[in-house]
Coordinates of all heavy atoms in Angstrom, one line a residue:
A316 N 48.5 44.1 25.2 CA 47.9 44.7 24.0 C 46.4 45.0 24.2 O 45.8 45.6 23.3 CB 48.1 43.9 22.8
G317 N 45.8 44.5 25.3 CA 44.4 44.8 25.5 C 43.4 43.8 24.9 O 42.2 43.9 24.9
I318 N 44.0 42.7 24.2 CA 43.2 41.7 23.6 C 42.6 40.8 24.7 O 41.4 40.5 24.7 CB 44.0 40.9 22.6 CG1 44.6 41.8 21.5 CG2 43.1 39.8 22.0 CD1 45.5 41.1 20.6
A319 N 43.4 40.3 25.6 CA 42.9 39.5 26.8 C 42.7 40.5 27.9 O 43.6 41.3 28.3 CB 43.9 38.5 27.2
T320 N 41.4 40.6 28.4 CA 41.1 41.5 29.4 C 41.1 40.9 30.8 O 41.3 39.7 31.0 CB 39.6 42.1 29.2 OG1 38.7 41.0 29.2 CG2 39.6 42.7 27.8
D321 N 40.9 41.8 31.8 CA 40.9 41.3 33.2 C 39.7 40.4 33.5 O 39.8 39.5 34.3 CB 40.8 42.5 34.2 CG 42.1 43.3 34.2 OD1 43.2 42.7 34.0 OD2 42.1 44.6 34.4
E322 N 38.6 40.7 32.8 CA 37.4 39.8 33.0 C 37.7 38.4 32.4 O 37.3 37.4 33.0 CB 36.2 40.4 32.2 CG 35.7 41.7 32.8 CD 34.6 42.3 32.0 OE1 34.5 41.9 30.8 OE2 33.8 43.1 32.5
M323 N 38.5 38.3 31.3 CA 38.8 37.0 30.8 C 39.7 36.3 31.7 O 39.6 35.0 32.0 CB 39.4 37.1 29.4 CG 38.5 37.7 28.4 SD 39.3 37.9 26.8 CE 38.0 38.7 25.8
L324 N 40.7 37.0 32.3 CA 41.7 36.3 33.2 C 41.0 35.9 34.5 O 41.5 35.0 35.2 CB 42.9 37.2 33.5 CG 43.7 37.6 32.2 CD1 44.9 38.5 32.7 CD2 44.3 36.3 31.6
A325 N 39.9 36.6 34.8 CA 39.2 36.3 36.1 C 38.2 35.1 35.9 O 37.4 34.9 36.8 CB 38.5 37.5 36.6
S326 N 38.3 34.4 34.8 CA 37.4 33.3 34.5 C 37.6 32.2 35.6 O 38.7 32.0 36.1 CB 37.7 32.6 33.2 OG 37.5 33.6 32.1
P327 N 36.6 31.5 36.0 CA 36.7 30.4 37.0 C 37.8 29.4 36.6 O 37.8 29.0 35.5 CB 35.3 29.8 37.1 CG 34.4 30.9 36.6 CD 35.2 31.6 35.6
K328 N 38.6 29.1 37.6 CA 39.8 28.2 37.3 C 39.4 26.7 37.4 O 40.2 25.9 37.0 CB 41.0 28.6 38.1 CG 41.5 30.0 38.0 CD 41.8 30.3 36.5 CE 42.4 31.7 36.4 NZ 41.4 32.7 36.6
F329 N 38.3 26.4 38.1 CA 38.0 25.0 38.3 C 37.8 24.2 37.0 O 38.3 23.1 36.9 CB 36.7 24.9 39.2 CG 36.4 23.5 39.5 CD1 37.1 22.8 40.5 CD2 35.3 22.9 38.9 CE1 36.8 21.5 40.8 CE2 34.9 21.6 39.2 CZ 35.7 20.9 40.2
P330 N 37.1 24.8 36.0 CA 37.1 24.0 34.7 C 38.4 23.7 34.1 O 38.7 22.6 33.6 CB 36.2 24.9 33.8 CG 35.4 25.7 34.7 CD 36.3 26.0 35.9
F331 N 39.4 24.6 34.3 CA 40.7 24.4 33.7 C 41.5 23.3 34.5 O 42.2 22.5 34.0 CB 41.6 25.7 33.8 CG 41.0 26.8 32.9 CD1 40.7 28.0 33.5 CD2 40.7 26.6 31.6 CE1 40.2 29.0 32.7 CE2 40.1 27.6 30.8 CZ 39.9 28.8 31.4
I332 N 41.2 23.2 35.8 CA 41.8 22.1 36.6 C 41.2 20.8 36.2 O 42.0 19.8 36.0 CB 41.5 22.4 38.1 CG1 42.1 23.7 38.6 CG2 41.9 21.2 39.0 CD1 41.8 24.0 40.1
I333 N 39.9 20.8 35.9 CA 39.3 19.5 35.4 C 39.9 19.2 34.0 O 40.2 18.0 33.8 CB 37.8 19.7 35.3 CG1 37.2 20.0 36.6 CG2 37.1 18.5 34.6 CD1 37.4 18.8 37.6
I334 N 40.1 20.2 33.1 CA 40.6 19.9 31.8 C 42.1 19.3 32.0 O 42.4 18.3 31.3 CB 40.6 21.2 31.0 CG1 39.2 21.6 30.6 CG2 41.5 21.0 29.7 CD1 39.1 22.9 30.0
G335 N 42.9 20.0 32.8 CA 44.3 19.5 32.9 C 44.3 18.1 33.5 O 45.1 17.3 33.1
F336 N 43.5 17.8 34.5 CA 43.5 16.5 35.2 C 43.0 15.4 34.2 O 43.6 14.4 34.1 CB 42.5 16.5 36.4 CG 42.4 15.2 37.0 CD1 43.4 14.7 37.8 CD2 41.2 14.5 36.9 CE1 43.2 13.4 38.4 CE2 41.0 13.3 37.5 CZ 42.0 12.7 38.3
L337 N 42.0 15.7 33.4 CA 41.5 14.7 32.4 C 42.5 14.4 31.3 O 42.7 13.3 30.9 CB 40.1 15.2 31.8 CG 38.9 15.2 32.8 CD1 37.7 15.8 32.1 CD2 38.6 13.7 33.2
E338 N 43.1 15.5 30.8 CA 44.1 15.3 29.8 C 45.4 14.5 30.3 O 45.9 13.7 29.6 CB 44.5 16.6 29.2 CG 43.4 17.3 28.4 CD 43.8 18.5 27.7 OE1 44.8 19.1 28.1 OE2 43.2 19.0 26.7
A339 N 45.8 14.8 31.5 CA 46.9 14.1 32.1 C 46.5 12.6 32.3 O 47.3 11.7 32.1 CB 47.4 14.8 33.4
L340 N 45.3 12.4 32.8 CA 44.8 11.1 33.0 C 44.7 10.3 31.7 O 45.1 9.1 31.6 CB 43.5 11.1 33.7 CG 43.0 9.9 34.5 CD1 44.0 9.6 35.6 CD2 41.7 10.1 35.1
G341 N 44.3 11.0 30.6 CA 44.3 10.3 29.3 C 45.7 10.0 28.8 O 45.8 8.9 28.2
V342 N 46.7 10.8 29.1 CA 48.0 10.5 28.7 C 48.6 9.3 29.4 O 49.1 8.4 28.8 CB 49.0 11.7 28.9 CG1 50.4 11.3 28.8 CG2 48.6 12.9 28.0
V343 N 48.3 9.2 30.7 CA 48.9 8.1 31.6 C 48.2 6.8 31.1 O 48.9 5.8 30.9 CB 48.6 8.4 33.1 CG1 49.0 7.2 33.9 CG2 49.5 9.6 33.5
S344 N 46.9 6.8 31.1 CA 46.1 5.6 30.7 C 46.5 5.2 29.3 O 46.5 4.0 29.0 CB 44.6 5.8 30.9 OG 44.2 6.9 30.1
G345 N 46.6 6.1 28.4 CA 47.0 5.8 27.0 C 48.4 5.2 26.9 O 48.6 4.2 26.1
M346 N 49.3 5.7 27.6 CA 50.7 5.1 27.6 C 50.7 3.7 28.2 O 51.3 2.8 27.8 CB 51.7 6.0 28.4 CG 52.1 7.2 27.6 SD 53.4 8.1 28.5 CE 53.9 9.3 27.3
Y347 N 49.9 3.5 29.3 CA 49.9 2.2 30.0 C 49.3 1.2 29.1 O 49.9 0.1 28.9 CB 49.0 2.4 31.3 CG 49.7 2.0 32.5 CD1 49.9 2.9 33.5 CD2 50.1 0.6 32.7 CE1 50.5 2.5 34.7 CE2 50.8 0.3 33.9 CZ 51.0 1.2 34.9 OH 51.6 0.9 36.0
S348 N 48.1 1.5 28.5 CA 47.5 0.5 27.6 C 48.2 0.3 26.3 O 48.3 -0.8 25.7 CB 46.0 0.9 27.4 OG 46.0 2.2 26.8
G349 N 48.8 1.4 25.7 CA 49.5 1.3 24.5 C 50.7 0.4 24.5 O 51.1 -0.2 23.5
A350 N 51.3 0.4 25.7 CA 52.5 -0.5 25.9 C 52.1 -2.0 25.8 O 53.0 -2.8 25.6 CB 53.2 -0.2 27.2
M351 N 50.8 -2.3 26.1 CA 50.4 -3.7 26.2 C 49.6 -4.1 25.0 O 49.3 -5.3 24.9 CB 49.6 -3.9 27.5 CG 50.3 -3.5 28.7 SD 51.9 -4.3 29.0 CE 51.3 -6.0 29.2
L352 N 49.1 -3.2 24.1 CA 48.3 -3.6 23.0 C 49.1 -3.7 21.7 O 50.1 -3.0 21.5 CB 47.2 -2.5 22.8 CG 46.1 -2.4 23.9 CD1 45.3 -1.2 23.7 CD2 45.3 -3.6 23.9
P353 N 48.6 -4.6 20.8 CA 49.3 -4.6 19.5 C 49.0 -3.3 18.7 O 48.0 -2.7 18.9 CB 48.6 -5.8 18.8 CG 47.3 -6.0 19.5 CD 47.5 -5.6 20.9
G354 N 50.0 -3.0 17.8 CA 50.0 -1.7 17.1 C 48.7 -1.5 16.3 O 48.1 -0.4 16.5
P355 N 48.2 -2.4 15.5 CA 47.0 -2.2 14.7 C 45.7 -2.0 15.6 O 44.7 -1.4 15.1 CB 46.9 -3.4 13.9 CG 48.2 -4.0 13.8 CD 48.9 -3.7 15.1
A356 N 45.7 -2.5 16.8 CA 44.5 -2.3 17.7 C 44.3 -0.9 18.2 O 43.2 -0.5 18.5 CB 44.6 -3.3 18.9
I357 N 45.4 -0.1 18.3 CA 45.4 1.2 18.9 C 44.5 2.1 18.0 O 43.6 2.8 18.5 CB 46.8 1.7 19.1 CG1 47.5 0.9 20.2 CG2 46.7 3.2 19.6 CD1 48.9 1.3 20.4
P358 N 44.8 2.2 16.7 CA 43.9 3.2 15.9 C 42.5 2.8 15.9 O 41.6 3.6 15.8 CB 44.6 3.1 14.5 CG 45.3 1.8 14.5 CD 45.8 1.6 15.9
I359 N 42.2 1.5 15.9 CA 40.8 1.0 15.9 C 40.1 1.4 17.1 O 39.0 2.0 17.1 CB 40.7 -0.5 15.7 CG1 41.3 -0.9 14.3 CG2 39.3 -1.0 15.8 CD1 41.4 -2.3 14.0
L360 N 40.7 1.2 18.3 CA 40.1 1.6 19.6 C 40.0 3.1 19.7 O 39.1 3.6 20.3 CB 40.9 1.0 20.7 CG 40.9 -0.5 20.8 CD1 41.9 -0.9 22.0 CD2 39.5 -1.0 21.1
N361 N 40.9 3.9 19.1 CA 40.9 5.3 19.2 C 39.7 5.9 18.4 O 39.4 7.1 18.5 CB 42.2 5.9 18.7 CG 43.3 5.8 19.7 OD1 43.0 5.7 20.9 ND2 44.5 5.8 19.3
Q362 N 39.1 5.1 17.5 CA 37.9 5.6 16.8 C 36.7 5.9 17.7 O 35.8 6.6 17.3 CB 37.5 4.7 15.6 CG 38.6 4.5 14.6 CD 39.0 5.8 13.9 OE1 38.2 6.5 13.5 NE2 40.3 6.0 13.9
T363 N 36.8 5.3 18.9 CA 35.7 5.5 19.8 C 35.7 6.9 20.4 O 34.8 7.3 21.1 CB 35.7 4.5 21.0 OG1 37.0 4.6 21.6 CG2 35.6 3.1 20.4
F364 N 36.8 7.7 20.1 CA 36.9 9.1 20.6 C 35.7 9.9 20.2 O 35.1 10.6 21.0 CB 38.2 9.7 20.1 CG 38.4 11.1 20.6 CD1 38.8 11.3 21.9 CD2 38.2 12.2 19.7 CE1 39.0 12.6 22.4 CE2 38.4 13.5 20.2 CZ 38.8 13.7 21.5
L365 N 35.2 9.8 18.9 CA 34.1 10.5 18.4 C 32.8 10.1 19.1 O 31.9 10.9 19.4 CB 34.0 10.4 16.9 CG 32.9 11.1 16.2 CD1 33.0 12.6 16.5 CD2 32.9 10.8 14.7
V366 N 32.7 8.8 19.4 CA 31.5 8.2 20.0 C 31.4 8.8 21.4 O 30.3 9.3 21.9 CB 31.6 6.7 20.1 CG1 30.3 6.2 20.9 CG2 31.6 6.1 18.7
W367 N 32.5 8.9 22.1 CA 32.5 9.5 23.5 C 32.2 11.0 23.4 O 31.4 11.5 24.3 CB 33.9 9.3 24.1 CG 34.3 7.9 24.6 CD1 35.3 7.2 24.1 CD2 33.6 7.1 25.5 NE1 35.4 6.0 24.7 CE2 34.3 5.9 25.6 CE3 32.5 7.3 26.3 CZ2 33.9 4.9 26.4 CZ3 32.1 6.3 27.2 CH2 32.8 5.1 27.2
Q368 N 32.6 11.7 22.4 CA 32.3 13.1 22.3 C 30.8 13.3 22.1 O 30.3 14.2 22.8 CB 33.1 13.7 21.2 CG 34.5 14.2 21.6 CD 35.1 15.1 20.5 OE1 34.8 15.0 19.4 NE2 36.0 16.0 20.9
L369 N 30.2 12.6 21.2 CA 28.8 12.7 21.0 C 28.0 12.4 22.3 O 27.1 13.1 22.7 CB 28.3 11.8 19.9 CG 28.7 12.2 18.5 CD1 28.3 11.1 17.5 CD2 27.9 13.5 18.1
T370 N 28.5 11.4 23.0 CA 27.8 11.0 24.2 C 27.9 12.0 25.3 O 26.8 12.4 25.9 CB 28.3 9.7 24.8 OG1 28.2 8.6 23.8 CG2 27.6 9.2 26.0
F371 N 29.1 12.5 25.5 CA 29.2 13.5 26.6 C 28.7 14.9 26.2 O 28.3 15.7 27.1 CB 30.7 13.6 27.0 CG 31.2 12.4 27.8 CD1 32.2 11.6 27.2 CD2 30.7 12.1 29.0 CE1 32.6 10.5 27.9 CE2 31.1 11.0 29.7 CZ 32.1 10.2 29.1
S372 N 28.6 15.2 24.9 CA 28.0 16.5 24.5 C 26.5 16.4 24.8 O 25.9 17.4 25.2 CB 28.2 16.7 23.0 OG 29.5 16.9 22.7
I373 N 25.9 15.3 24.6 CA 24.5 15.1 25.0 C 24.2 15.2 26.5 O 23.3 15.9 27.0 CB 23.9 13.8 24.4 CG1 23.9 13.8 22.9 CG2 22.5 13.6 24.9 CD1 23.6 12.5 22.2
L374 N 25.1 14.5 27.2 CA 24.9 14.4 28.7 C 25.3 15.7 29.4 O 24.6 16.2 30.3 CB 25.8 13.3 29.3 CG 25.4 11.9 28.8 CD1 26.3 10.8 29.4 CD2 23.9 11.6 29.2
L375 N 26.4 16.4 29.0 CA 26.9 17.5 29.7 C 26.4 18.9 29.2 O 26.2 19.8 30.0 CB 28.4 17.5 29.7 CG 29.1 16.3 30.4 CD1 30.6 16.4 30.3 CD2 28.7 16.1 31.8
L376 N 26.2 18.9 27.9 CA 25.8 20.2 27.3 C 24.4 20.2 26.8 O 23.9 21.3 26.4 CB 26.7 20.5 26.0 CG 28.2 20.7 26.3 CD1 29.0 21.0 25.0 CD2 28.5 21.7 27.4
G377 N 23.7 19.0 26.9 CA 22.3 19.0 26.4 C 22.1 19.2 25.0 O 21.0 19.6 24.5
R378 N 23.2 18.9 24.2 CA 23.0 19.0 22.7 C 22.1 17.9 22.1 O 22.1 16.8 22.7 CB 24.4 19.0 22.0 CG 25.2 20.2 22.3 CD 26.4 20.3 21.4 NE 27.3 21.4 21.6 CZ 27.0 22.6 21.1 NH1 26.0 22.8 20.2 NH2 27.8 23.7 21.3
T379 N 21.5 18.2 21.0 CA 20.7 17.2 20.3 C 21.3 17.0 18.9 O 21.8 18.0 18.3 CB 19.3 17.7 20.2 OG1 19.2 19.0 19.5 CG2 18.6 17.8 21.5
Y380 N 21.3 15.8 18.4 CA 21.9 15.5 17.1 C 20.9 14.8 16.2 O 19.9 14.2 16.7 CB 23.1 14.6 17.3 CG 24.3 15.3 18.0 CD1 24.5 15.1 19.3 CD2 25.1 16.1 17.3 CE1 25.5 15.7 20.0 CE2 26.2 16.7 18.0 CZ 26.4 16.5 19.3 OH 27.4 17.2 20.0
T381 N 21.0 15.0 14.9 CA 20.1 14.4 14.0 C 20.3 12.9 14.0 O 21.3 12.3 14.5 CB 20.3 14.9 12.6 OG1 21.7 14.6 12.2 CG2 20.2 16.4 12.6
L382 N 19.3 12.2 13.4 CA 19.3 10.7 13.4 C 20.5 10.3 12.5 O 21.1 9.2 12.8 CB 18.0 10.2 12.8 CG 17.8 8.7 12.6 CD1 17.9 8.1 14.0 CD2 16.5 8.4 11.9
N383 N 20.8 11.0 11.5 CA 22.0 10.6 10.6 C 23.3 10.5 11.4 O 24.1 9.6 11.3 CB 22.1 11.5 9.4 CG 20.9 11.4 8.5 OD1 20.3 10.4 8.4 ND2 20.7 12.5 7.7
R384 N 23.5 11.5 12.3 CA 24.7 11.6 13.1 C 24.7 10.4 14.1 O 25.8 9.8 14.3 CB 24.9 12.9 13.8 CG 25.1 14.1 12.8 CD 25.3 15.3 13.6 NE 25.6 16.5 12.7 CZ 25.9 17.7 13.0 NH1 26.0 18.0 14.3 NH2 26.1 18.6 12.2
L385 N 23.6 10.2 14.7 CA 23.5 9.1 15.7 C 23.8 7.7 15.0 O 24.4 6.9 15.6 CB 22.2 9.1 16.4 CG 21.9 10.4 17.3 CD1 20.5 10.3 17.9 CD2 23.0 10.5 18.4
V386 N 23.2 7.6 13.8 CA 23.4 6.3 13.1 C 24.9 6.2 12.7 O 25.5 5.1 12.8 CB 22.5 6.2 11.8 CG1 22.9 5.1 11.0 CG2 21.1 6.1 12.3
G387 N 25.5 7.2 12.3 CA 26.9 7.2 12.0 C 27.8 6.9 13.2 O 28.8 6.1 13.1
C388 N 27.4 7.4 14.3 CA 28.1 7.1 15.6 C 28.0 5.6 15.9 O 28.9 5.0 16.3 CB 27.6 8.0 16.7 SG 28.3 7.7 18.3
F389 N 26.8 5.1 15.8 CA 26.5 3.7 16.0 C 27.3 2.8 15.1 O 27.9 1.8 15.5 CB 25.0 3.4 15.9 CG 24.7 1.9 16.0 CD1 24.7 1.3 17.2 CD2 24.4 1.2 14.8 CE1 24.4 -0.1 17.3 CE2 24.1 -0.2 14.9 CZ 24.1 -0.8 16.1
L390 N 27.5 3.2 13.8 CA 28.2 2.4 12.8 C 29.7 2.4 13.2 O 30.4 1.4 13.0 CB 28.0 2.9 11.4 CG 26.6 2.8 10.8 CD1 26.6 3.4 9.5 CD2 26.3 1.3 10.7
V391 N 30.2 3.5 13.7 CA 31.6 3.6 14.2 C 31.8 2.6 15.3 O 32.8 1.8 15.3 CB 32.0 5.0 14.6 CG1 33.4 5.0 15.2 CG2 32.0 5.9 13.4
A392 N 31.0 2.6 16.3 CA 31.1 1.7 17.4 C 31.0 0.2 17.0 O 31.7 -0.6 17.4 CB 30.0 2.0 18.5
A393 N 30.0 0.0 16.1 CA 29.9 -1.4 15.6 C 31.1 -1.8 14.8 O 31.5 -3.0 14.9 CB 28.6 -1.5 14.7
G394 N 31.7 -0.9 14.0 CA 32.9 -1.3 13.3 C 34.1 -1.6 14.2 O 34.9 -2.5 13.9
V395 N 34.2 -0.9 15.3 CA 35.3 -1.2 16.3 C 35.1 -2.6 16.9 O 36.0 -3.4 16.9 CB 35.3 -0.1 17.4 CG1 36.2 -0.5 18.5 CG2 35.7 1.2 16.8
V396 N 33.8 -2.9 17.3 CA 33.6 -4.2 17.9 C 33.8 -5.3 16.8 O 34.4 -6.3 17.2 CB 32.1 -4.2 18.4 CG1 31.8 -5.7 18.9 CG2 31.9 -3.2 19.5
L397 N 33.4 -5.1 15.6 CA 33.6 -6.1 14.6 C 35.1 -6.3 14.3 O 35.5 -7.5 14.1 CB 32.8 -5.7 13.3 CG 32.9 -6.7 12.1 CD1 32.2 -8.0 12.5 CD2 32.2 -6.1 10.9
A398 N 35.8 -5.2 14.2 CA 37.3 -5.4 13.9 C 38.0 -6.1 15.0 O 39.0 -6.8 14.8 CB 37.9 -4.0 13.6
V399 N 37.6 -5.9 16.2 CA 38.3 -6.4 17.4 C 38.0 -7.9 17.6 O 38.8 -8.7 17.9 CB 38.0 -5.6 18.7 CG1 38.5 -6.3 19.9 CG2 38.6 -4.2 18.5
T400 N 36.7 -8.3 17.3 CA 36.3 -9.6 17.6 C 36.2 -10.6 16.4 O 35.9 -11.7 16.5 CB 34.8 -9.6 18.2 OG1 34.0 -8.9 17.3 CG2 34.8 -8.8 19.5
S401 N 36.5 -10.1 15.2 CA 36.4 -10.9 14.0 C 37.6 -11.9 13.9 O 38.7 -11.6 14.5 CB 36.4 -10.0 12.7 OG 37.6 -9.3 12.6
G402 N 37.4 -13.0 13.2 CA 38.5 -14.0 13.1 C 38.3 -15.1 14.0 O 37.4 -15.1 14.9

Side-chain angles (χ1 to χ4, degrees):
I318 301 174
T320 62
D321 291 327
E322 293 178 339
M323 296 179 184
L324 296 179
S326 299
K328 302 303 184 292
F329 183 72
F331 299 125
I332 296 176
I333 297 298
I334 292 171
F336 176 74
L337 290 172
E338 290 184 340
L340 203 58
V342 170
V343 174
S344 57
M346 283 189 174
Y347 237 117
S348 56
M351 306 301 296
L352 291 171
I357 296 175
I359 296 176
L360 294 175
N361 282 336
Q362 297 305 308
T363 59
F364 181 76
L365 182 59
V366 178
W367 288 119
Q368 272 193 332
L369 285 171
T370 302
F371 288 115
S372 294
I373 296 173
L374 295 178
L375 300 180
L376 301 180
R378 290 191 178 277
T379 57
Y380 295 98
T381 61
L382 181 61
N383 293 336
R384 293 185 179 183
L385 295 177
V386 170
C388 179
F389 173 78
L390 292 177
V391 170
V395 171
V396 175
L397 182 63
V399 170
T400 59
S401 61

